[in-house]
Structure formats: structure tokens, C-alpha cells
Amino acid sequence: MKRSRIGIGAALTAGALATAGLIYAPAAAAVEPGTATVQADCGIYGGGEATLTATQDGTTATITVTSSEITTPVAVDANTVDTTITMTKGGGGTTEFTGSSNPAMEAGGGVDSGPLTGTVASGDSLDAFPGSLTLVVMGISVTCESTAAQSPGPFVFD
């Protein structure tokens, strides 16, 4: 009989600790949708569709930009492109995401840049339209302007 009381006590203690862990565990932040596309016009450098992938960790968010239609005219080494994407907030204003993290890209290859880092608040709604993507490659600045709202709708952050 003594053994079963110890077993029940241990089980109740373990259950209480597990419940406390759930109560105090930090909530996972999420952004919806996680991926969207946008059309961009890069002037003499062309343009086309780009995919934006968003993630969030607390108030830090990242955007990765990839496109097989927006291409680089020259070969580019890894981590040498300074990239900024400016997105419009639903309530007004803008948020910038910046970084210089990119894989090596061959001449004529698609653009791949990110993660680009920015700060968000809970409830922020960000759309790439109107907005811009600026890439600085070997001192040459290329700005692409979005031509329509991203699809699906804006990124909404927790």
C-alpha cells in the first residue's frame, strides 16, 4: 500500500510540473500566410514574379525573396548583395527588412536573397504593394517596384 501512495504522489507531482511548463512556455509566434508572391518591375533590369517567405520569432521577422524571373546579369558571390525590401503597413507607414545573406548566383540566374531581418509588432499587417526591393550588387543599385498586391493577401504577424 505504501508503494502505491508514493506512485500516486509522484504522478500528481509530475502532472503538476508538466501543467506549469505548459502555462509558462513561450508561445510560438506565427505569420500568416507564410509564403506569398508579388509582381515587380525592375526597369531596365527586367522584372517578373517573386516569392516572399516570411517567418517570425517574437518581434523579429524575416523575409526571403526568391525569383526565377528576376535575374542577375553577372555572377555574384555568396553574401555580397545588400538587399532591402520595404513593405507597407496596413495602418500606414512602412517596415524595412534588410540583409546581405545570399547564395552564390550565376549570371542569368534567379535572385535569391535572405533572410532579410526586420522588426514587427503583434497584429502588424504588411504588404509588398506598394513597396520596393532594392539590391546593391557590386556598387550598382537595382530597385524593383511592386506592381500589384501580394497574393495571397498581406502578411499578418502574431
Side-chain angles (χ1 to χ4, degrees), residues 96-136:
E96 285 190 348
F97 294 83
T98 61
S100 54
S101 177
N102 62 277
M105 294 178 272
E106 60 187 51
V111 169
D112 185 346
S113 191
L116 310 173
T117 306
T119 302
V120 295
S122 180
D124 274 358
S125 175
L126 302 178
D127 197 314
F129 180 79
S132 64
L133 171 68
T134 302
L135 304 132
V136 180

PDB file of all heavy atoms in Angstrom, residues 96-136:
ATOM      1  N   GLU A  96      10.948  48.087 -43.044  1.00  0.00           N
ATOM      2  CA  GLU A  96      12.047  47.619 -43.893  1.00  0.00           C
ATOM      3  C   GLU A  96      12.653  46.334 -43.338  1.00  0.00           C
ATOM      4  O   GLU A  96      12.803  46.186 -42.131  1.00  0.00           O
ATOM      5  CB  GLU A  96      13.152  48.672 -43.988  1.00  0.00           C
ATOM      6  CG  GLU A  96      12.815  49.825 -44.876  1.00  0.00           C
ATOM      7  CD  GLU A  96      14.009  50.725 -45.141  1.00  0.00           C
ATOM      8  OE1 GLU A  96      15.057  50.593 -44.469  1.00  0.00           O
ATOM      9  OE2 GLU A  96      13.892  51.575 -46.040  1.00  0.00           O
ATOM     10  N   PHE A  97      13.016  45.455 -44.255  1.00  0.00           N
ATOM     11  CA  PHE A  97      13.748  44.228 -43.946  1.00  0.00           C
ATOM     12  C   PHE A  97      15.058  44.314 -44.713  1.00  0.00           C
ATOM     13  O   PHE A  97      15.048  44.579 -45.923  1.00  0.00           O
ATOM     14  CB  PHE A  97      12.946  43.001 -44.382  1.00  0.00           C
ATOM     15  CG  PHE A  97      11.675  42.816 -43.608  1.00  0.00           C
ATOM     16  CD1 PHE A  97      10.527  43.506 -43.941  1.00  0.00           C
ATOM     17  CD2 PHE A  97      11.642  41.956 -42.520  1.00  0.00           C
ATOM     18  CE1 PHE A  97       9.362  43.347 -43.210  1.00  0.00           C
ATOM     19  CE2 PHE A  97      10.483  41.783 -41.782  1.00  0.00           C
ATOM     20  CZ  PHE A  97       9.336  42.489 -42.126  1.00  0.00           C
ATOM     21  N   THR A  98      16.182  44.119 -44.031  1.00  0.00           N
ATOM     22  CA  THR A  98      17.478  44.276 -44.676  1.00  0.00           C
ATOM     23  C   THR A  98      18.395  43.095 -44.380  1.00  0.00           C
ATOM     24  O   THR A  98      18.207  42.372 -43.398  1.00  0.00           O
ATOM     25  CB  THR A  98      18.183  45.562 -44.194  1.00  0.00           C
ATOM     26  OG1 THR A  98      18.383  45.470 -42.778  1.00  0.00           O
ATOM     27  CG2 THR A  98      17.382  46.800 -44.525  1.00  0.00           C
ATOM     28  N   GLY A  99      19.385  42.929 -45.225  1.00  0.00           N
ATOM     29  CA  GLY A  99      20.387  41.897 -45.004  1.00  0.00           C
ATOM     30  C   GLY A  99      21.300  41.758 -46.196  1.00  0.00           C
ATOM     31  O   GLY A  99      21.090  42.370 -47.244  1.00  0.00           O
ATOM     32  N   SER A 100      22.332  40.949 -46.016  1.00  0.00           N
ATOM     33  CA  SER A 100      23.246  40.668 -47.126  1.00  0.00           C
ATOM     34  C   SER A 100      23.570  39.176 -47.127  1.00  0.00           C
ATOM     35  O   SER A 100      24.717  38.774 -47.249  1.00  0.00           O
ATOM     36  CB  SER A 100      24.516  41.526 -47.025  1.00  0.00           C
ATOM     37  OG  SER A 100      25.116  41.359 -45.767  1.00  0.00           O
ATOM     38  N   SER A 101      22.536  38.400 -46.975  1.00  0.00           N
ATOM     39  CA  SER A 101      22.672  36.951 -46.990  1.00  0.00           C
ATOM     40  C   SER A 101      22.094  36.420 -48.293  1.00  0.00           C
ATOM     41  O   SER A 101      20.893  36.542 -48.538  1.00  0.00           O
ATOM     42  CB  SER A 101      21.921  36.350 -45.793  1.00  0.00           C
ATOM     43  OG  SER A 101      21.994  34.958 -45.829  1.00  0.00           O
ATOM     44  N   ASN A 102      22.947  35.900 -49.127  1.00  0.00           N
ATOM     45  CA  ASN A 102      22.507  35.326 -50.400  1.00  0.00           C
ATOM     46  C   ASN A 102      23.443  34.193 -50.788  1.00  0.00           C
ATOM     47  O   ASN A 102      24.623  34.233 -50.440  1.00  0.00           O
ATOM     48  CB  ASN A 102      22.485  36.392 -51.511  1.00  0.00           C
ATOM     49  CG  ASN A 102      23.850  36.972 -51.793  1.00  0.00           C
ATOM     50  OD1 ASN A 102      24.283  37.874 -51.092  1.00  0.00           O
ATOM     51  ND2 ASN A 102      24.529  36.464 -52.817  1.00  0.00           N
ATOM     52  N   PRO A 103      22.937  33.205 -51.507  1.00  0.00           N
ATOM     53  CA  PRO A 103      23.846  32.179 -52.024  1.00  0.00           C
ATOM     54  C   PRO A 103      24.593  32.744 -53.233  1.00  0.00           C
ATOM     55  O   PRO A 103      24.231  33.795 -53.752  1.00  0.00           O
ATOM     56  CB  PRO A 103      22.889  31.063 -52.449  1.00  0.00           C
ATOM     57  CG  PRO A 103      21.624  31.770 -52.806  1.00  0.00           C
ATOM     58  CD  PRO A 103      21.547  32.947 -51.867  1.00  0.00           C
ATOM     59  N   ALA A 104      25.614  32.051 -53.682  1.00  0.00           N
ATOM     60  CA  ALA A 104      26.268  32.439 -54.929  1.00  0.00           C
ATOM     61  C   ALA A 104      25.234  32.303 -56.046  1.00  0.00           C
ATOM     62  O   ALA A 104      24.426  31.372 -56.052  1.00  0.00           O
ATOM     63  CB  ALA A 104      27.469  31.544 -55.195  1.00  0.00           C
ATOM     64  N   MET A 105      25.226  33.272 -56.956  1.00  0.00           N
ATOM     65  CA  MET A 105      24.270  33.250 -58.078  1.00  0.00           C
ATOM     66  C   MET A 105      25.046  33.379 -59.375  1.00  0.00           C
ATOM     67  O   MET A 105      25.932  34.231 -59.487  1.00  0.00           O
ATOM     68  CB  MET A 105      23.262  34.399 -57.932  1.00  0.00           C
ATOM     69  CG  MET A 105      22.357  34.263 -56.721  1.00  0.00           C
ATOM     70  SD  MET A 105      21.198  35.642 -56.515  1.00  0.00           S
ATOM     71  CE  MET A 105      22.188  36.791 -55.546  1.00  0.00           C
ATOM     72  N   GLU A 106      24.711  32.552 -60.342  1.00  0.00           N
ATOM     73  CA  GLU A 106      25.396  32.610 -61.633  1.00  0.00           C
ATOM     74  C   GLU A 106      24.755  33.665 -62.521  1.00  0.00           C
ATOM     75  O   GLU A 106      23.591  34.042 -62.318  1.00  0.00           O
ATOM     76  CB  GLU A 106      25.375  31.243 -62.308  1.00  0.00           C
ATOM     77  CG  GLU A 106      23.976  30.717 -62.572  1.00  0.00           C
ATOM     78  CD  GLU A 106      23.982  29.293 -63.086  1.00  0.00           C
ATOM     79  OE1 GLU A 106      24.630  28.440 -62.459  1.00  0.00           O
ATOM     80  OE2 GLU A 106      23.324  29.048 -64.106  1.00  0.00           O
ATOM     81  N   ALA A 107      25.506  34.168 -63.480  1.00  0.00           N
ATOM     82  CA  ALA A 107      24.981  35.153 -64.424  1.00  0.00           C
ATOM     83  C   ALA A 107      23.746  34.584 -65.110  1.00  0.00           C
ATOM     84  O   ALA A 107      23.742  33.448 -65.569  1.00  0.00           O
ATOM     85  CB  ALA A 107      26.042  35.507 -65.461  1.00  0.00           C
ATOM     86  N   GLY A 108      22.681  35.365 -65.124  1.00  0.00           N
ATOM     87  CA  GLY A 108      21.425  34.927 -65.731  1.00  0.00           C
ATOM     88  C   GLY A 108      20.575  34.083 -64.801  1.00  0.00           C
ATOM     89  O   GLY A 108      19.459  33.714 -65.133  1.00  0.00           O
ATOM     90  N   GLY A 109      21.083  33.796 -63.610  1.00  0.00           N
ATOM     91  CA  GLY A 109      20.331  33.006 -62.640  1.00  0.00           C
ATOM     92  C   GLY A 109      19.354  33.869 -61.866  1.00  0.00           C
ATOM     93  O   GLY A 109      19.461  35.086 -61.809  1.00  0.00           O
ATOM     94  N   GLY A 110      18.386  33.211 -61.263  1.00  0.00           N
ATOM     95  CA  GLY A 110      17.372  33.906 -60.488  1.00  0.00           C
ATOM     96  C   GLY A 110      17.921  34.502 -59.209  1.00  0.00           C
ATOM     97  O   GLY A 110      18.937  34.061 -58.676  1.00  0.00           O
ATOM     98  N   VAL A 111      17.235  35.512 -58.729  1.00  0.00           N
ATOM     99  CA  VAL A 111      17.605  36.199 -57.498  1.00  0.00           C
ATOM    100  C   VAL A 111      17.154  35.373 -56.297  1.00  0.00           C
ATOM    101  O   VAL A 111      16.064  34.803 -56.284  1.00  0.00           O
ATOM    102  CB  VAL A 111      16.959  37.600 -57.454  1.00  0.00           C
ATOM    103  CG1 VAL A 111      17.085  38.237 -56.088  1.00  0.00           C
ATOM    104  CG2 VAL A 111      17.564  38.491 -58.517  1.00  0.00           C
ATOM    105  N   ASP A 112      18.018  35.305 -55.286  1.00  0.00           N
ATOM    106  CA  ASP A 112      17.727  34.589 -54.039  1.00  0.00           C
ATOM    107  C   ASP A 112      18.406  35.380 -52.929  1.00  0.00           C
ATOM    108  O   ASP A 112      19.633  35.426 -52.864  1.00  0.00           O
ATOM    109  CB  ASP A 112      18.282  33.165 -54.119  1.00  0.00           C
ATOM    110  CG  ASP A 112      17.925  32.310 -52.916  1.00  0.00           C
ATOM    111  OD1 ASP A 112      17.480  32.852 -51.873  1.00  0.00           O
ATOM    112  OD2 ASP A 112      18.107  31.085 -53.002  1.00  0.00           O
ATOM    113  N   SER A 113      17.617  36.034 -52.096  1.00  0.00           N
ATOM    114  CA  SER A 113      18.204  36.883 -51.068  1.00  0.00           C
ATOM    115  C   SER A 113      17.452  36.744 -49.755  1.00  0.00           C
ATOM    116  O   SER A 113      16.234  36.801 -49.717  1.00  0.00           O
ATOM    117  CB  SER A 113      18.188  38.344 -51.526  1.00  0.00           C
ATOM    118  OG  SER A 113      18.975  39.125 -50.672  1.00  0.00           O
ATOM    119  N   GLY A 114      18.206  36.551 -48.709  1.00  0.00           N
ATOM    120  CA  GLY A 114      17.594  36.482 -47.385  1.00  0.00           C
ATOM    121  C   GLY A 114      18.148  35.331 -46.595  1.00  0.00           C
ATOM    122  O   GLY A 114      18.952  34.542 -47.108  1.00  0.00           O
ATOM    123  N   PRO A 115      17.812  35.287 -45.348  1.00  0.00           N
ATOM    124  CA  PRO A 115      16.723  36.053 -44.754  1.00  0.00           C
ATOM    125  C   PRO A 115      17.099  37.513 -44.528  1.00  0.00           C
ATOM    126  O   PRO A 115      18.221  37.834 -44.161  1.00  0.00           O
ATOM    127  CB  PRO A 115      16.469  35.345 -43.427  1.00  0.00           C
ATOM    128  CG  PRO A 115      17.763  34.678 -43.089  1.00  0.00           C
ATOM    129  CD  PRO A 115      18.412  34.342 -44.400  1.00  0.00           C
ATOM    130  N   LEU A 116      16.120  38.382 -44.777  1.00  0.00           N
ATOM    131  CA  LEU A 116      16.229  39.808 -44.516  1.00  0.00           C
ATOM    132  C   LEU A 116      15.499  40.052 -43.202  1.00  0.00           C
ATOM    133  O   LEU A 116      14.396  39.561 -43.016  1.00  0.00           O
ATOM    134  CB  LEU A 116      15.590  40.610 -45.651  1.00  0.00           C
ATOM    135  CG  LEU A 116      16.031  40.208 -47.061  1.00  0.00           C
ATOM    136  CD1 LEU A 116      15.202  40.945 -48.107  1.00  0.00           C
ATOM    137  CD2 LEU A 116      17.511  40.485 -47.251  1.00  0.00           C
ATOM    138  N   THR A 117      16.092  40.806 -42.315  1.00  0.00           N
ATOM    139  CA  THR A 117      15.557  40.944 -40.964  1.00  0.00           C
ATOM    140  C   THR A 117      14.891  42.297 -40.750  1.00  0.00           C
ATOM    141  O   THR A 117      15.386  43.321 -41.209  1.00  0.00           O
ATOM    142  CB  THR A 117      16.688  40.769 -39.933  1.00  0.00           C
ATOM    143  OG1 THR A 117      17.344  39.531 -40.184  1.00  0.00           O
ATOM    144  CG2 THR A 117      16.156  40.771 -38.509  1.00  0.00           C
ATOM    145  N   GLY A 118      13.760  42.268 -40.027  1.00  0.00           N
ATOM    146  CA  GLY A 118      13.051  43.487 -39.658  1.00  0.00           C
ATOM    147  C   GLY A 118      12.342  43.290 -38.334  1.00  0.00           C
ATOM    148  O   GLY A 118      12.314  42.184 -37.790  1.00  0.00           O
ATOM    149  N   THR A 119      11.754  44.351 -37.837  1.00  0.00           N
ATOM    150  CA  THR A 119      11.037  44.312 -36.561  1.00  0.00           C
ATOM    151  C   THR A 119       9.546  44.487 -36.815  1.00  0.00           C
ATOM    152  O   THR A 119       9.139  45.365 -37.583  1.00  0.00           O
ATOM    153  CB  THR A 119      11.544  45.434 -35.627  1.00  0.00           C
ATOM    154  OG1 THR A 119      12.950  45.261 -35.444  1.00  0.00           O
ATOM    155  CG2 THR A 119      10.857  45.386 -34.279  1.00  0.00           C
ATOM    156  N   VAL A 120       8.743  43.640 -36.155  1.00  0.00           N
ATOM    157  CA  VAL A 120       7.292  43.707 -36.283  1.00  0.00           C
ATOM    158  C   VAL A 120       6.656  43.742 -34.898  1.00  0.00           C
ATOM    159  O   VAL A 120       7.277  43.374 -33.907  1.00  0.00           O
ATOM    160  CB  VAL A 120       6.736  42.494 -37.070  1.00  0.00           C
ATOM    161  CG1 VAL A 120       7.227  42.511 -38.499  1.00  0.00           C
ATOM    162  CG2 VAL A 120       7.078  41.179 -36.387  1.00  0.00           C
ATOM    163  N   ALA A 121       5.416  44.168 -34.859  1.00  0.00           N
ATOM    164  CA  ALA A 121       4.623  44.138 -33.630  1.00  0.00           C
ATOM    165  C   ALA A 121       3.455  43.192 -33.857  1.00  0.00           C
ATOM    166  O   ALA A 121       3.057  42.926 -35.004  1.00  0.00           O
ATOM    167  CB  ALA A 121       4.117  45.537 -33.295  1.00  0.00           C
ATOM    168  N   SER A 122       2.913  42.684 -32.779  1.00  0.00           N
ATOM    169  CA  SER A 122       1.762  41.798 -32.873  1.00  0.00           C
ATOM    170  C   SER A 122       0.629  42.516 -33.610  1.00  0.00           C
ATOM    171  O   SER A 122       0.308  43.658 -33.310  1.00  0.00           O
ATOM    172  CB  SER A 122       1.308  41.405 -31.468  1.00  0.00           C
ATOM    173  OG  SER A 122       0.201  40.538 -31.548  1.00  0.00           O
ATOM    174  N   GLY A 123       0.072  41.850 -34.604  1.00  0.00           N
ATOM    175  CA  GLY A 123      -1.019  42.418 -35.386  1.00  0.00           C
ATOM    176  C   GLY A 123      -0.582  43.179 -36.617  1.00  0.00           C
ATOM    177  O   GLY A 123      -1.427  43.594 -37.415  1.00  0.00           O
ATOM    178  N   ASP A 124       0.731  43.403 -36.793  1.00  0.00           N
ATOM    179  CA  ASP A 124       1.193  44.097 -37.996  1.00  0.00           C
ATOM    180  C   ASP A 124       0.724  43.361 -39.243  1.00  0.00           C
ATOM    181  O   ASP A 124       0.804  42.133 -39.327  1.00  0.00           O
ATOM    182  CB  ASP A 124       2.724  44.195 -38.037  1.00  0.00           C
ATOM    183  CG  ASP A 124       3.260  45.396 -37.284  1.00  0.00           C
ATOM    184  OD1 ASP A 124       2.456  46.194 -36.760  1.00  0.00           O
ATOM    185  OD2 ASP A 124       4.498  45.535 -37.214  1.00  0.00           O
ATOM    186  N   SER A 125       0.234  44.117 -40.198  1.00  0.00           N
ATOM    187  CA  SER A 125      -0.199  43.596 -41.485  1.00  0.00           C
ATOM    188  C   SER A 125       0.663  44.281 -42.546  1.00  0.00           C
ATOM    189  O   SER A 125       0.597  45.497 -42.706  1.00  0.00           O
ATOM    190  CB  SER A 125      -1.685  43.931 -41.687  1.00  0.00           C
ATOM    191  OG  SER A 125      -2.117  43.545 -42.968  1.00  0.00           O
ATOM    192  N   LEU A 126       1.490  43.488 -43.237  1.00  0.00           N
ATOM    193  CA  LEU A 126       2.445  44.054 -44.198  1.00  0.00           C
ATOM    194  C   LEU A 126       2.221  43.498 -45.592  1.00  0.00           C
ATOM    195  O   LEU A 126       2.097  42.289 -45.774  1.00  0.00           O
ATOM    196  CB  LEU A 126       3.881  43.746 -43.761  1.00  0.00           C
ATOM    197  CG  LEU A 126       4.311  44.241 -42.378  1.00  0.00           C
ATOM    198  CD1 LEU A 126       5.744  43.797 -42.096  1.00  0.00           C
ATOM    199  CD2 LEU A 126       4.183  45.744 -42.262  1.00  0.00           C
ATOM    200  N   ASP A 127       2.197  44.392 -46.567  1.00  0.00           N
ATOM    201  CA  ASP A 127       2.014  44.008 -47.961  1.00  0.00           C
ATOM    202  C   ASP A 127       3.171  44.575 -48.780  1.00  0.00           C
ATOM    203  O   ASP A 127       3.637  45.679 -48.515  1.00  0.00           O
ATOM    204  CB  ASP A 127       0.689  44.554 -48.493  1.00  0.00           C
ATOM    205  CG  ASP A 127       0.231  43.881 -49.779  1.00  0.00           C
ATOM    206  OD1 ASP A 127       1.055  43.709 -50.696  1.00  0.00           O
ATOM    207  OD2 ASP A 127      -0.959  43.537 -49.872  1.00  0.00           O
ATOM    208  N   ALA A 128       3.605  43.819 -49.757  1.00  0.00           N
ATOM    209  CA  ALA A 128       4.697  44.262 -50.631  1.00  0.00           C
ATOM    210  C   ALA A 128       4.231  45.319 -51.628  1.00  0.00           C
ATOM    211  O   ALA A 128       5.036  45.834 -52.385  1.00  0.00           O
ATOM    212  CB  ALA A 128       5.283  43.066 -51.366  1.00  0.00           C
ATOM    213  N   PHE A 129       2.930  45.657 -51.622  1.00  0.00           N
ATOM    214  CA  PHE A 129       2.420  46.682 -52.534  1.00  0.00           C
ATOM    215  C   PHE A 129       1.691  47.752 -51.750  1.00  0.00           C
ATOM    216  O   PHE A 129       0.815  47.416 -50.956  1.00  0.00           O
ATOM    217  CB  PHE A 129       1.476  46.086 -53.570  1.00  0.00           C
ATOM    218  CG  PHE A 129       0.933  47.112 -54.528  1.00  0.00           C
ATOM    219  CD1 PHE A 129       1.707  47.554 -55.578  1.00  0.00           C
ATOM    220  CD2 PHE A 129      -0.336  47.643 -54.352  1.00  0.00           C
ATOM    221  CE1 PHE A 129       1.217  48.508 -56.459  1.00  0.00           C
ATOM    222  CE2 PHE A 129      -0.823  48.594 -55.224  1.00  0.00           C
ATOM    223  CZ  PHE A 129      -0.052  49.027 -56.283  1.00  0.00           C
ATOM    224  N   PRO A 130       1.929  49.020 -51.929  1.00  0.00           N
ATOM    225  CA  PRO A 130       3.096  49.467 -52.666  1.00  0.00           C
ATOM    226  C   PRO A 130       4.352  49.213 -51.850  1.00  0.00           C
ATOM    227  O   PRO A 130       4.322  49.327 -50.629  1.00  0.00           O
ATOM    228  CB  PRO A 130       2.841  50.955 -52.874  1.00  0.00           C
ATOM    229  CG  PRO A 130       1.893  51.343 -51.780  1.00  0.00           C
ATOM    230  CD  PRO A 130       1.124  50.117 -51.411  1.00  0.00           C
ATOM    231  N   GLY A 131       5.385  48.883 -52.516  1.00  0.00           N
ATOM    232  CA  GLY A 131       6.644  48.587 -51.853  1.00  0.00           C
ATOM    233  C   GLY A 131       7.752  48.447 -52.863  1.00  0.00           C
ATOM    234  O   GLY A 131       7.538  48.574 -54.072  1.00  0.00           O
ATOM    235  N   SER A 132       8.947  48.174 -52.359  1.00  0.00           N
ATOM    236  CA  SER A 132      10.083  48.055 -53.267  1.00  0.00           C
ATOM    237  C   SER A 132      11.098  47.058 -52.740  1.00  0.00           C
ATOM    238  O   SER A 132      11.138  46.747 -51.551  1.00  0.00           O
ATOM    239  CB  SER A 132      10.761  49.412 -53.465  1.00  0.00           C
ATOM    240  OG  SER A 132      11.304  49.861 -52.233  1.00  0.00           O
ATOM    241  N   LEU A 133      11.882  46.564 -53.652  1.00  0.00           N
ATOM    242  CA  LEU A 133      13.001  45.674 -53.369  1.00  0.00           C
ATOM    243  C   LEU A 133      14.223  46.328 -53.984  1.00  0.00           C
ATOM    244  O   LEU A 133      14.241  46.616 -55.180  1.00  0.00           O
ATOM    245  CB  LEU A 133      12.763  44.304 -54.003  1.00  0.00           C
ATOM    246  CG  LEU A 133      13.938  43.327 -53.988  1.00  0.00           C
ATOM    247  CD1 LEU A 133      14.232  42.884 -52.556  1.00  0.00           C
ATOM    248  CD2 LEU A 133      13.637  42.126 -54.871  1.00  0.00           C
ATOM    249  N   THR A 134      15.233  46.601 -53.161  1.00  0.00           N
ATOM    250  CA  THR A 134      16.464  47.205 -53.660  1.00  0.00           C
ATOM    251  C   THR A 134      17.607  46.238 -53.427  1.00  0.00           C
ATOM    252  O   THR A 134      17.806  45.753 -52.309  1.00  0.00           O
ATOM    253  CB  THR A 134      16.753  48.548 -52.965  1.00  0.00           C
ATOM    254  OG1 THR A 134      15.645  49.422 -53.176  1.00  0.00           O
ATOM    255  CG2 THR A 134      18.015  49.181 -53.510  1.00  0.00           C
ATOM    256  N   LEU A 135      18.344  45.955 -54.500  1.00  0.00           N
ATOM    257  CA  LEU A 135      19.520  45.088 -54.435  1.00  0.00           C
ATOM    258  C   LEU A 135      20.732  45.912 -54.842  1.00  0.00           C
ATOM    259  O   LEU A 135      20.705  46.575 -55.882  1.00  0.00           O
ATOM    260  CB  LEU A 135      19.358  43.904 -55.392  1.00  0.00           C
ATOM    261  CG  LEU A 135      18.104  43.063 -55.166  1.00  0.00           C
ATOM    262  CD1 LEU A 135      17.386  42.829 -56.471  1.00  0.00           C
ATOM    263  CD2 LEU A 135      18.474  41.756 -54.532  1.00  0.00           C
ATOM    264  N   VAL A 136      21.767  45.878 -54.022  1.00  0.00           N
ATOM    265  CA  VAL A 136      23.005  46.566 -54.369  1.00  0.00           C
ATOM    266  C   VAL A 136      24.044  45.491 -54.643  1.00  0.00           C
ATOM    267  O   VAL A 136      24.452  44.754 -53.745  1.00  0.00           O
ATOM    268  CB  VAL A 136      23.461  47.528 -53.247  1.00  0.00           C
ATOM    269  CG1 VAL A 136      24.760  48.212 -53.659  1.00  0.00           C
ATOM    270  CG2 VAL A 136      22.377  48.544 -52.931  1.00  0.00           C
TER     271      VAL A 136
END
